[in-house]
Structure formats: C-alpha cells, structure tokens
Amino acid sequence: MTSLRLYSEALFRGNLHAKEETIVERMLADQNKSFLRFLTCGSVDDGKSTLIGRLLFESQRIYEDQLVTLESDSRRFGTTGDEIDYALLVDGLDDERQQGITIDVAYRFFTTSVRAFMVADTPGHEQYTRNMATGASNSDVAILLIDARKGVLPQTKRHAVICSLLGIRHIVLAVNKIDLVGYDRAIFDQIVADFSSFASQLSFASIMPIPISARYGDNVVTPSDNISWYQGVTLLRYLETIDIKSHHEAAPFRMAVQWVNRPNLDFRGYSGTVASGAVTVGDKIAVAESGRASTVKSLVTFDGNLDQARAGEAVTITLTDEVDIARGDVLCPPDDRPSVADQFSAHLLWMSEDALLPGRQYLLRVGMRLVPATITSIKHKLDIERFEHLAATQLSMNEIAVCNLSTASPIAFDAYKDNPETGGFILIDRFTNATVAVGMIDFALRRATNIHQQHTTVDQEARARIKSQKPCVLWFTGLSGSGKSSISDVVEKRLHARGYHTYGLDGDNVRHGLNRDLGFTDADRVENVRRIGEVSRLFVDAGLIVLCSFISPFEAERRMIRERMKEDEFIEIFVDTPIEECMRRDPKGLYAKAQRGEIKNFTGFDSPYETPSAPELHLRTTGKSAEELADEVLGYLRMKSIAI
C-alpha cells in the first residue's frame, strides 16, 4: 500500500518512465475496482487448471516472456499435442507438470475492465481434499467443474458439500469438455438435473450452470457458436457481474488481538486485523471473554491515524482506560458479544491419514488463540452420496461429521454461518504439528454453565501431610505379558509394608466395572485410558500413591494424563519386554488367540503400541525378575524423595 502511494506521487510529479507510468496507472485503476475471490474445484482431470489458464490468456494477463515459456513447456509437459496447454500456467510444481495434475493450491491475480479477481486453483484428487478446503475458506464463489463425459462424481459431491460448509453461497456449475460429447444439450441438461437434485439439500443461494470447453475457449470469455442452444452469459461475464455482499462488512465488529503493542511507557495499543465489521474512534468496545469495556481513543496504522477501520485492515487500537487485554483476546461491541464457552458443536472435515479418535487431545487454533481441545463425541458423520447421518466411533481422512468438542479454557466464537472469521478453526496434532482437521462451529453447548469447581477446606496438601507422603501416579506401560502387573504388585506390597498409603489400578480389574462398556478398538482404548487418568487424578488428590498397570498404547493419551497432573506427580515407567518374550510367556493365552484371528485389535498385531519417548524410568526386563525390577522402581522413588 505504501509503495503504491509513493509511486502515485511520483507519477503526479512526472518522475516515472513511460513503461512505469503504464504499470502504475493500471495498478491505481485496479485499486478502485470491486474484488472477487473464487476457486475452481471438482474431480481430478475435469480441466480446472486449463480453465484458469484460458481466463488469464484471454484477459491478456500473460506477458510475452511467459508466453514463450508456456509454448516451450507445452512441448515438454503438455497434454494437448501441438497446441498450447494453458494448464501449465497454473501447475507450477514439477510433480504437477510431470503428472498433469494439481497438488497444491495455486493462487492467481488478474483483472478485467470491470473487476479484479483472485482465483484459487485447487486439486481434485481425494488425497488433497485438505488443499481444496484451504482454497474454499477464502472464496466468495466456487466454479465446480464437471467433465461432460463423466457426469457428477463422488468427489464432485464432496467438494460441493465442503463449499457449502465453508460458507460459499454461489456456485458456477461449469460443465467442461462439452466439445468431447458433441456439444450435446441433453447431456448438459441431465448433468444439471443430477447436480441440482443433490445440491437441493445444501445452502447455496444460487447455482449457475454454464456449458464450456476450457481447451478451446467455448463460453469462457466469449459466446460459443458451437453451443447455439445456450443463451446465458459466459463464465467471465458472470464473474464480472455477480453481486457479492461481503459477510465481513455485514457482521459485527470483531478483532482478535495479535500483539500488545508497548514500545514505551506512554503508549499501549492492541494490534490486529479487523476480522469483520468496522470500528470508529469513540466507539465503545469490550473484551469478549471478560466483558470489560472501554472507549476507542485512536486507530493507529503505519500510514497514520484513521477515523475508522474496516474488515481486512490492520490497525492498532488504543483505549481511554487501562483494560486487561492479552494476545488472543477478541474485541467486540459491548452489546453484541460472541459466545464464550468451553464446549461447542461443530462440523469437522478430517484431513489426516490417522483416524480421529474421540477422547484424544489436539490443539485447537481459532483466531489468535491456541488451546488444548478434545473431541468428546462424534454425533454423526455425513454420507455425501445420500445425505444420510451415519453412526461413527471414529473418522477417516476426508470424512465429514458433526462433533462435540471441549476446550481446556473458554474461547470466544460466533457460529460459522454468521461469521466465518470467528467461527472457523483448525485442529493440530500435538506431536507432529500437522493440521489434521478444519472445523466450522455451529453453536455453544450450554449444558455445563451451571457447574462450578467446589472449593473444599481439606485439600490435597492436607491429605498428603496426614499420610506423611508425596502423592503421585506410577504409570506402568508396556505390551500385554510384559510384566507390568507383576512389577506393580511387588512395588505396592513393599510400599504398603513401609506404611505408605497406596492403591493399585489394573487394566483387567477396571474393565469389570468402571470400563465394562468399552471394547478394544482404538477409540475404546483412548476412552479407557482417559477414564483411568481422571480416576488416578482423584486418588492423587486424596493423597495416595497410585500404581496403574495399563498397556496404554498411545503416547497422546499418556501425555494427556501427565498434563492433567502437577509437575512430578506423573511417573511414566516403560516396561520394555520384546514381543517375542511376551508371546513366549502369554500368561492369558491372548497372543495365541490373536494369531488364530480370534481376537481383533490386539496390541502388537493389528493395533499399534507407541513406545514412550521420554519415560521417567525404562525397565528392560530381559533376564530380570519382578523383584529386581521392583528394586529399580523403589530406587527411583527414594532418589525423588517420594518413598524412603
């Protein structure tokens, strides 16, 4: 913005060369045009990249050197024989060019005499659905391409559903490669009817069907003589004239604080980008979470102070009062605050190859806030073919579901349909930092608003003091048959003999009562360990030394329990026994049954065991008795002054 302002001043003074003047004049003209973001989506090989290349070419946004390179690349990588392959203008990655597909999201800016555009070319392959969702999250219109030879495919439906969930209200149904079916109107009409029937259950405000040939330019920029039966507008004309009312401006003022700006003792400002609505000097604003209110004193930017800041503008807000505001807090009007809750329902698009398991903890990012979060339940997943609600205990990659989530602390949000900027979130794997899901919040769950933490006079410290011990959890983890329970039993017997107050929790025992409703699927194992973790925490609060013997195969759940405890209260003990030795012992005959296929989801066979990465104690059991291994545990407890 600053550079453009300086160039415009230079243009006014006559200090630019003729070529520079042309570029700057075009930039200044573009600045006053309306702006539309759209994406192309659909199944693989439907012609998305070719369509965008054709738009760029015919809007005269390809420079001579680019055209020379395109002609060379078309001979090397092209799929159109001796003709120019316009898809190569967008498919920039080597893998994309060699395979003839789009992998990443490619963004291109271009303008016409009427409007400026930002287009996102998204991949069609199912494995890259996450990239398509990224492009859709910032778009106003979606061009959904369909190969006239193939009709409506499952991936077409999946992309339509994602567009609907992400708030896109206008769809162009571009029936491409119409030339390959002889420009047959009956085929076009049937595809439109099939899609319209499917999309009637989605929340699109408009669906515009257009027959096109991206390769030859039919109905892309100019009307086609080959499709005389079509009397509608061309694709570009539709994009130039569609009226998009920005939800960003219509929604109430929201701004997440990105940085508390304190360069000196005389200035305190709150920096961020206005997510929606507008804020004016003199407005009353409040912190969504606390409700504390003040008045806007000034709106500071790099180019000077403003009287008003609108959606999309970066600004630093100063207030007339000292208010406790931190990074991640959401600023809003006092009389139109977002919801603040730690439980909510949301639509979730799962994007990881590892299945979603209810009860597992992830990191949730909404705005500038990053908080631990758990999917407490999957209410149902969506069958995109028939729009049925299906029961589910886990989600696989690219599946869509309605879920209930719980966060470690309350967050501020709006329903996604009302404000995508504050109603959208992502989930992040805590170990790989990979984004595993995108979510759209539906509504807050109010069930727990009347539940408060009850203060008790006798606390954990008092209970531990009367027992003269330091409470903790000794968490024994390892394969079935590794010796966890045997070692734990010896350790507890010796602690008890010395007067310590203990309690042992064993995997088999709790499944007779507390967890009798759980099986051995990955989802049930996660819930099994979560419940035991909460029970263990209560026993520690009672001042006890708790000995837990569980396979607990997933590191994510062991880490979740650790984080629920105070420092040094969770002691992870890895009972490391080779699986061959466990099979030789096989005290319960489980390995033999697993080998015969009589037991499913058995750890070490068809269910994984994740080795602890940094346990407090690593017991290598080969050649050692349970008594010797118990000595190692007791030695560690003496070293930590837990048991003398």
Side-chain angles (χ1 to χ4, degrees):
M1 182 70 73
T2 302
S3 299
L4 184 57
R5 178 171 54 82
L6 293 175
Y7 271 121
S8 63
E9 292 173 357
L11 176 65
F12 177 77
R13 294 194 300 269
N15 294 338
L16 296 177
H17 298 297
K19 188 174 183 180
E20 290 177 320
E21 288 182 4
T22 301
I23 295 173
V24 173
E25 286 172 351
R26 178 180 290 180
M27 292 171 67
L28 291 172
D30 290 347
Q31 198 177 26
N32 296 321
K33 295 176 182 176
S34 62
F35 185 63
L36 179 72
R37 294 177 180 270
F38 70 92
L39 83 152
T40 58
C41 57
S43 191
V44 67
D45 290 333
D46 280 349
K48 298 177 290 297
S49 298
T50 301
L51 175 61
I52 295 176
R54 172 66 69 173
L55 281 171
L56 292 173
F57 177 77
E58 297 204 9
S59 62
Q60 300 181 350
R61 287 293 166 172
I62 303 176
Y63 297 106
E64 291 183 7
D65 58 334
Q66 290 178 300
L67 190 57
V68 171
T69 301
L70 178 61
E71 291 173 347
S72 174
D73 288 344
S74 295
R75 289 191 293 271
R76 182 181 177 189
F77 301 109
T79 60
T80 56
D82 295 331
E83 300 173 2
I84 292 178
D85 188 349
Y86 294 104
L88 298 180
L89 281 170
V90 186
D91 290 340
L93 300 178
D94 284 343
D95 283 348
E96 292 179 338
R97 294 190 168 205
Q98 291 170 10
Q99 298 176 43
I101 63 172
T102 299
I103 296 174
D104 201 1
V105 182
Y107 294 93
R108 292 293 184 271
F109 175 82
F110 71 100
T111 65
T112 66
S113 60
V114 178
R115 186 173 243 171
F117 301 94
M118 179 67 76
V119 53
D121 179 31
T122 65
H125 278 69
E126 185 174 345
Q127 70 189 96
Y128 301 120
T129 300
R130 71 183 75 183
N131 299 21
M132 178 269 163
T134 300
S137 64
N138 294 312
S139 299
D140 303 305
V141 175
I143 300 177
L144 185 59
L145 280 90
I146 295 179
D147 189 326
R149 300 168 301 171
K150 302 176 183 177
V152 179
L153 299 175
Q155 188 71 338
T156 312
K157 295 180 179 181
R158 179 177 287 105
H159 282 192
V161 171
I162 293 172
C163 286
S164 177
L165 289 176
L166 289 172
I168 294 177
R169 295 294 172 258
H170 302 279
I171 290 286
V172 178
L173 189 66
V175 181
N176 192 25
K177 304 183 182 181
I178 195 73
D179 56 296
L180 297 182
V181 295
Y183 302 98
D184 192 323
R185 180 174 185 173
I187 292 177
F188 173 77
D189 289 343
Q190 185 60 53
I191 291 173
V192 173
D194 291 344
F195 182 81
S196 298
S197 175
F198 163 79
S200 63
Q201 302 178 70
L202 300 177
S203 55
F204 297 130
S206 69
I207 299 174
M208 181 64 185
I210 303 177
I212 66 169
S213 171
R215 180 176 178 180
Y216 297 111
D218 293 292
N219 273 351
V220 176
V221 174
T222 57
S224 171
D225 294 334
N226 298 314
I227 318 177
S228 57
W229 47 265
Y230 175 74
Q231 301 299 314
V233 297
T234 64
L235 175 62
L236 182 60
R237 183 59 179 165
Y238 175 81
L239 295 174
E240 286 180 328
T241 56
I242 184 172
D243 182 21
I244 300 294
K245 294 183 179 179
S246 174
H247 56 256
H248 301 290
E249 295 181 3
F253 167 65
R254 300 283 189 265
M255 190 186 90
V257 176
Q258 185 173 357
W259 176 44
V260 178
N261 189 344
R262 191 76 189 277
N264 54 61
L265 295 176
D266 299 322
F267 185 91
R268 181 192 295 270
Y270 307 99
S271 303
T273 299
V274 178
S276 62
V279 60
T280 304
V281 173
D283 281 353
K284 284 280 189 181
I285 63 171
V287 182
E289 291 86 345
S290 67
R292 290 287 303 276
S294 184
T295 302
V296 177
K297 181 179 179 181
S298 63
L299 301 171
V300 182
T301 72
F302 181 81
D303 293 321
N305 289 8
L306 302 176
D307 293 326
Q308 186 181 69
R310 295 183 175 275
E313 293 184 314
V315 67
T316 296
I317 298 176
T318 67
L319 304 175
T320 57
D321 306 293
E322 290 288 339
V323 179
D324 183 15
I325 299 176
R327 172 181 166 84
D329 285 339
V330 175
L331 304 182
C332 60
D335 57 351
D336 198 352
R337 293 162 58 191
S339 299
V340 177
D342 59 2
Q343 296 185 60
F344 55 86
S345 177
H347 278 80
L348 209 63
L349 167 61
W350 191 251
M351 303 190 303
S352 173
E353 293 180 357
D354 296 327
L356 178 155
L357 301 176
R360 174 162 291 177
Q361 194 175 81
Y362 302 91
L363 293 176
L364 181 146
R365 178 174 289 282
V366 54
M368 293 294 114
R369 289 290 302 278
L370 186 67
V371 296
T374 301
I375 293 90
T376 55
S377 66
I378 300 174
K379 297 172 68 176
H380 61 260
K381 68 179 180 181
L382 182 65
D383 180 347
I384 63 169
E385 289 288 334
R386 296 179 294 275
F387 267 95
E388 294 178 352
H389 293 175
L390 306 178
T393 57
Q394 65 180 42
L395 289 183
S396 300
M397 187 169 71
N398 295 330
E399 289 190 318
I400 299 169
V402 174
C403 303
N404 289 345
L405 290 91
S406 174
T407 55
S409 58
I411 59 173
F413 57 83
D414 295 289
Y416 189 88
K417 64 180 179 60
D418 298 328
N419 194 333
E421 295 299 318
T422 54
F425 64 90
I426 62 173
L427 290 180
I428 302 169
D429 186 279
R430 303 195 62 169
F431 299 102
T432 65
N433 287 324
T435 299
V436 295
V438 295
M440 292 67 69
I441 298 176
D442 295 325
F443 51 83
L445 299 174
R446 302 299 183 186
R447 295 190 298 262
T449 55
N450 61 337
I451 300 175
H452 306 280
Q453 190 75 31
Q454 178 64 42
H455 173 73
T456 57
T457 304
V458 180
D459 58 11
Q460 176 182 320
E461 184 179 351
R463 299 184 189 103
R465 188 167 52 248
I466 200 171
K467 296 177 176 64
S468 300
Q469 64 185 38
K470 181 179 179 180
C472 66
V473 171
L474 304 180
W475 191 276
F476 294 83
T477 176
L479 294 171
S480 177
S482 61
K484 301 181 300 297
S485 297
S486 299
I487 300 168
S488 172
D489 186 61
V490 174
V491 172
E492 184 176 20
K493 183 170 63 175
R494 293 185 182 178
L495 289 173
H496 181 74
R498 297 177 189 179
Y500 289 99
H501 298 258
T502 63
Y503 196 86
L505 292 169
D506 185 82
D508 286 342
N509 292 345
V510 298
R511 284 184 177 273
H512 287 294
L514 176 66
N515 292 347
R516 67 182 302 174
D517 60 318
L518 300 177
F520 291 92
T521 64
D522 285 352
D524 282 351
R525 288 179 184 275
V526 169
E527 176 61 13
N528 181 60
V529 174
R530 186 196 69 81
R531 292 183 191 179
I532 296 306
E534 290 299 320
V535 172
S536 300
R537 191 169 64 88
L538 293 174
F539 278 136
V540 168
D541 192 53
L544 301 178
I545 297 174
V546 191
L547 299 92
C548 297
S549 300
F550 294 87
I551 294 174
S552 49
F554 304 123
E555 189 163 8
E557 280 61 63
R558 299 193 300 262
R559 180 174 177 176
M560 179 181 66
I561 297 169
R562 181 189 296 276
E563 292 177 350
R564 293 282 284 160
M565 307 278 184
K566 297 177 184 176
E567 189 175 357
D568 295 333
E569 283 185 350
F570 183 84
I571 299 170
E572 187 175 31
I573 303 170
F574 176 32
V575 183
D576 187 0
T577 304
I579 190 169
E580 295 78 13
E581 175 62 18
C582 295
M583 293 173 66
R584 187 191 66 78
R585 297 176 183 175
D586 202 10
K588 305 170 188 174
L590 300 179
Y591 284 98
K593 291 181 179 180
Q595 287 179 310
R596 294 194 299 267
E598 297 174 10
I599 299 178
K600 301 297 183 183
N601 305 307
F602 191 75
T603 304
F605 277 83
D606 51 357
S607 186
Y609 177 79
E610 297 175 359
T611 302
S613 55
E616 278 72 16
L617 199 55
H618 188 161
L619 301 181
R620 294 173 174 84
T621 65
T622 302
K624 296 181 181 179
S625 66
E627 286 73 16
E628 291 172 314
L629 295 164
D631 287 338
E632 293 186 36
V633 176
L634 293 169
Y636 178 86
L637 298 181
R638 283 193 296 271
M639 181 183 68
K640 291 295 183 179
S641 301
I642 295 173
I644 307 302

